[in-house]
Amino acid sequence: MIFAFVDVIFADTVFTIKSNSMTTKAKNIFQNPRTDFSFKKIFATEKNKRYLIAFLNCFISKYVGEIADLIYLPNEKFGTEFTHKKVVFDIFCTDTQGKNFLIEMQRAPQPEFVDRSIVYLSRAVSDSLGRGENYRIVPTYSVNVLDFELPTYHGSDDCFQAIFFKDQKNEILTERIGVFYVNLCNFASSQPEVSQEMRTWLYLLKNMQDMDESDFRRQDGIFRELMEECRITKLNNMEKENYEKSIMEYEDVKAAIAYTKELAEKNAFDKGLEKGMQKGKNEEKLSIVRNMLDKGLDIALISEITGLSVSEIRKIKE
């Protein structure tokens, strides 16, 4: 059994990444925080909301102010008209000062994801206005945790973007609306505004499922508590079943992405997944969707990955 070790150093904290060849994967000790089950268990439950407060304060308090407490709100938003598309946030909450936050964990590249994040933010802002009231915007912020690289920032080693509406003089028009992108892929980013604490959050969310007891002992404070909370042995039987389903879904997504990239390369799509998915009604896109359906992926999940509507996917299935 052959192992290779790479040390990643964040100030006084050293993490060891283990890669292997000709080996069988060891049993995981900690959950994969990027699965739908674990992400919501960590960040979307009253019992664990201190982790969400700590995460948001670490990344965005510089821009929106310190968050003392959060109240979880319904995460489904319906349009004002019957024909409007319903949107479902991963997490939607408000703080003690009335600021709203919607938090999304996006595991797979999606065509027009930036547009989608703006649509979600717009729906949250619109719904915050009461009937007959003026147009004073309730401070609302979209925080998007990404397990992939946005095309806009391709080739950059930045892991964090804070975006506000600005004029041609680069002056912010309003601080009441903001979009934040947190890229887990670049956890070793050297961005000046990215702190050691931010990099540690990124590293744990990206790699916790592959860490061991020695990694756990290196942690302290909120990060040690987080890893303890994410021990697989702490899950009850029902939670373990749901976690395993979530892992299977996560791996299906990754397999679908790999297959899509393979198809894109075969068809000389030099922009990989995004360009392949944007080809519209070509045969390659139909083949991708049919392959996902054959693998038993849920239609809603296929819609999330491809950007196609549920009705379009149902027509392909027929």
Side-chain angles (χ1 to χ4, degrees):
M1 193 175 293
I2 303 172
F3 290 90
F5 295 87
V6 180
D7 285 341
V8 180
I9 304 175
F10 300 152
D12 297 328
T13 306
V14 180
F15 300 99
T16 302
I17 303 175
K18 302 174 185 176
S19 62
N20 57 39
S21 60
M22 299 170 59
T23 183
T24 302
K25 185 177 180 181
K27 184 177 180 181
N28 295 104
I29 300 173
F30 304 100
Q31 298 170 49
N32 182 341
R34 291 165 292 159
T35 62
D36 185 66
F37 171 85
S38 298
F39 185 81
K40 290 178 179 176
K41 189 174 191 298
I42 294 167
F43 291 122
T45 60
E46 189 69 25
K47 171 179 175 286
N48 291 329
K49 71 177 177 181
R50 68 187 184 279
Y51 299 125
L52 181 57
I53 293 171
F55 178 84
L56 292 177
N57 277 332
C58 177
F59 281 90
I60 69 173
S61 62
K62 171 183 175 181
Y63 305 93
V64 306
E66 195 78 9
I67 298 168
D69 197 8
L70 291 171
I71 299 171
Y72 292 106
L73 301 174
N75 63 342
E76 292 188 353
K77 294 292 180 182
F78 298 87
T80 55
E81 302 292 337
F82 176 76
T83 56
H84 287 180
K85 179 180 175 67
K86 180 183 78 171
V87 300
V88 182
F89 309 140
D90 284 344
I91 304 171
F92 189 53
C93 53
T94 187
D95 73 353
T96 53
Q97 296 179 321
K99 297 189 292 287
N100 292 336
F101 304 91
L102 59 101
I103 298 95
E104 293 286 309
M105 173 71 220
Q106 184 70 12
R107 296 161 293 172
Q110 183 187 68
E112 301 176 348
F113 176 77
V114 170
D115 289 355
R116 194 189 84 167
S117 62
I118 298 299
V119 168
Y120 277 31
L121 176 61
S122 300
R123 182 65 60 83
V125 171
S126 175
D127 284 3
S128 70
L129 300 175
R131 185 183 298 272
E133 295 182 3
N134 60 30
Y135 291 98
R136 184 173 177 80
I137 294 172
V138 174
T140 306
Y141 306 98
S142 170
V143 182
N144 302 273
V145 183
L146 310 177
D147 198 16
F148 61 93
E149 182 182 61
L150 284 174
T152 305
Y153 301 103
H154 177 70
S156 167
D157 65 353
D158 291 349
C159 66
F160 177 72
Q161 285 83 31
I163 302 167
F164 293 87
F165 290 109
K166 295 183 178 182
D167 63 16
Q168 73 275 16
K169 297 180 180 178
N170 206 36
E171 294 181 359
I172 295 177
L173 297 179
T174 177
E175 294 181 348
R176 290 175 171 269
I177 300 177
V179 182
F180 302 92
Y181 296 113
V182 179
N183 184 349
L184 300 180
C185 300
N186 294 337
F187 59 80
S189 172
S190 58
Q191 278 181 272
E193 65 269 38
V194 174
S195 65
Q196 175 188 339
E197 183 183 3
M198 293 166 74
R199 288 192 291 268
T200 303
W201 271 111
L202 295 172
Y203 183 84
L204 289 180
L205 292 177
K206 181 72 175 177
N207 297 291
M208 193 189 304
Q209 70 280 357
D210 296 320
M211 298 172 75
D212 57 25
E213 293 296 346
S214 63
D215 296 305
F216 172 76
R217 289 191 294 271
R218 292 190 183 104
Q219 302 306 312
D220 56 22
I222 194 75
F223 299 118
R224 191 182 185 100
E225 294 174 15
L226 176 64
M227 290 188 70
E228 181 65 30
E229 179 63 29
C230 287
R231 287 184 182 276
I232 293 176
T233 54
K234 295 192 69 171
L235 300 175
N236 61 39
N237 289 338
M238 180 62 72
E239 289 174 330
K240 284 181 181 177
E241 182 177 337
N242 289 332
Y243 174 64
E244 288 170 2
K245 289 179 180 177
S246 196
I247 282 289
M248 291 176 64
E249 179 185 276
Y250 177 84
E251 291 177 347
D252 282 344
V253 169
K254 293 302 180 185
I257 293 171
Y259 178 76
T260 303
K261 287 182 177 178
E262 181 181 344
L263 279 182
E265 290 171 1
K266 287 180 179 178
N267 290 279
F269 293 148
D270 58 0
K271 289 187 178 180
L273 175 62
E274 184 195 17
K275 188 171 181 180
M277 300 304 286
Q278 289 177 340
K279 281 292 183 179
K281 296 181 179 180
N282 57 37
E283 190 60 33
E284 288 79 12
K285 190 166 187 176
L286 293 175
S287 177
I288 291 167
V289 174
R290 290 192 185 107
N291 180 266
M292 292 178 181
L293 289 168
D294 290 343
K295 287 180 177 293
L297 268 69
D298 182 72
I299 289 178
L301 181 59
I302 297 174
S303 175
E304 178 183 343
I305 295 172
T306 63
L308 292 173
S309 68
V310 170
S311 60
E312 288 175 319
I313 295 170
R314 284 177 177 158
K315 286 181 181 178
I316 295 173
K317 186 177 181 180
E318 292 171 358

